[in-house]
Amino acid sequence: MNGIYLDNSSTTKPCKEAIDAVNFALNECWGNPSSLHEFGFNAEQLVKSARQSVAEKIGASIDEIYFNSCGTEGDNTAIIGAALALKKRGNRIVTTSVEHPAVLETVKRLAEDGFDVVYIKPDKDGHISEKSVRDAVNEKTVLISMMLVNNETGAIFPVSSLKKIAKEKGSPALIHTDAVQAFGKLPINVKKLGVDMLTLSGHKIHAPKGIGALYISKDVHIKPFITGGGQEKGMRSGTESVPLIAGLGAAVNALPDINAQLKKAQELNDYTRKVLAENGFDSFNSPADALPYVLNVSVIGYRSETLLHFLENEGVYVSSGSACAKGKGSYVLNEMGLERARIDSALRISFSRFSEKSDADKLCEALLSATKKLRKANR
Ligand code: PLP
């Protein structure tokens, strides 16, 4: 399929390196990593090398990386595992009201089982303040789960302050971050960030779908979510998906210098904002200091779904943010307190390292054409 693909927060095109690594593993290295013979050993070596690549990228050690199937599984494992491990020490879980459903639905289930879940709301710009975290955390808090980058607005959350706040409040909380949108785009060092657990997902960084990883600090112990044959040091039983793990490792190795790429993404974001604003599309819902790979904008007066359809006809692919629940629109923008008209007309543009300025031009042209056609049709 061709076209201007600006929906990279939903998923990314697998890179050649990842595809080659998957093919190699399927064709040449299909043993079971647990087998005590050469086939097993070779597969184990592939898994080990991918684990090393992921660990290095986030400043972790190799024995702190657990492969799994996706970001959703990582979030579930971290949250349920931590809550069960620490439930004797308290029952409060602090999170934000704008997490991905992989977190929100998981804490909701824990709330049904008696946990006291506190949801921090963002401000009108999409930021989460440290003060609101301080107000939410108490000595009974056993888990703080906060995403590093919001998937709809690109807002960066104050994850690096969480450990300090928990200490100040006398809380034994483990700190989890859903870094699915941040990994590979923002430099991450788990030690500097002060997190005990970090979720990442392959398909957001040009690896295949169906592969993710969870960092768990070796200083903490959480309960496994999937039990069985004891793979992944008992934390995630089930025969490892060697091809997908190799694909993730290759995609991680293929990541360019993150800071240099971030600078390029910022230039592209600034350019896109400028071109859109010059043409009257200036209701931006992403804060100015958001991760530049995400730009959320409202085209007030036009419904997101209608615009998506028109843009698709012009060969431009964006998203409306998140799947609209029964026409209610984005819960993230709603939590930010934005007006209805703005929520109903929101578009999320999300770039990858392969996006170009010409893509922003094409997007803007397509938006102008779409709004013109819609105005005509409504006359
Ligand atoms: N967390 C965030 C912030 C996401 O954006 C997503 C996917 O869009 C997920 C979790 C779920 O990841 P996966 O699709 O790998 O299950």
Side-chain angles (χ1 to χ4, degrees), residues 9-10 70-72 75 100 102 147 149 151 178 180-181 201 203-204:
S9 292
S10 295
C70 60
T72 301
D75 286 343
H100 189 272
M147 64 201 333
V149 169
N151 48 307
D178 172 339
V180 167
Q181 295 291 341
S201 173
H203 73 104
K204 310 291 184 178

Side-chain angles (χ1 to χ4, degrees), residues 245-321:
I245 291 173
L248 174 60
V252 170
N253 291 339
L255 286 170
D257 178 82
I258 289 182
N259 279 316
Q261 200 55 48
L262 192 57
K263 201 165 154 257
K264 280 172 78 178
Q266 189 63 59
E267 282 163 16
L268 179 57
N269 185 299
D270 292 346
Y271 178 77
T272 310
R273 278 184 183 248
K274 182 173 132 300
V275 175
L276 288 175
E278 280 168 1
N279 287 284
F281 308 117
D282 59 356
S283 297
F284 297 111
N285 305 316
S286 294
D289 58 357
L291 183 78
Y293 290 90
V294 185
L295 181 57
N296 195 309
V297 62
S298 290
V299 185
I300 294 168
Y302 303 90
R303 288 193 70 82
S304 313
E305 294 79 359
T306 314
L307 284 169
L308 288 189
H309 180 67
F310 273 81
L311 291 178
E312 185 173 357
N313 282 341
E314 307 273 336
V316 176
Y317 301 86
V318 297
S319 86
S320 59

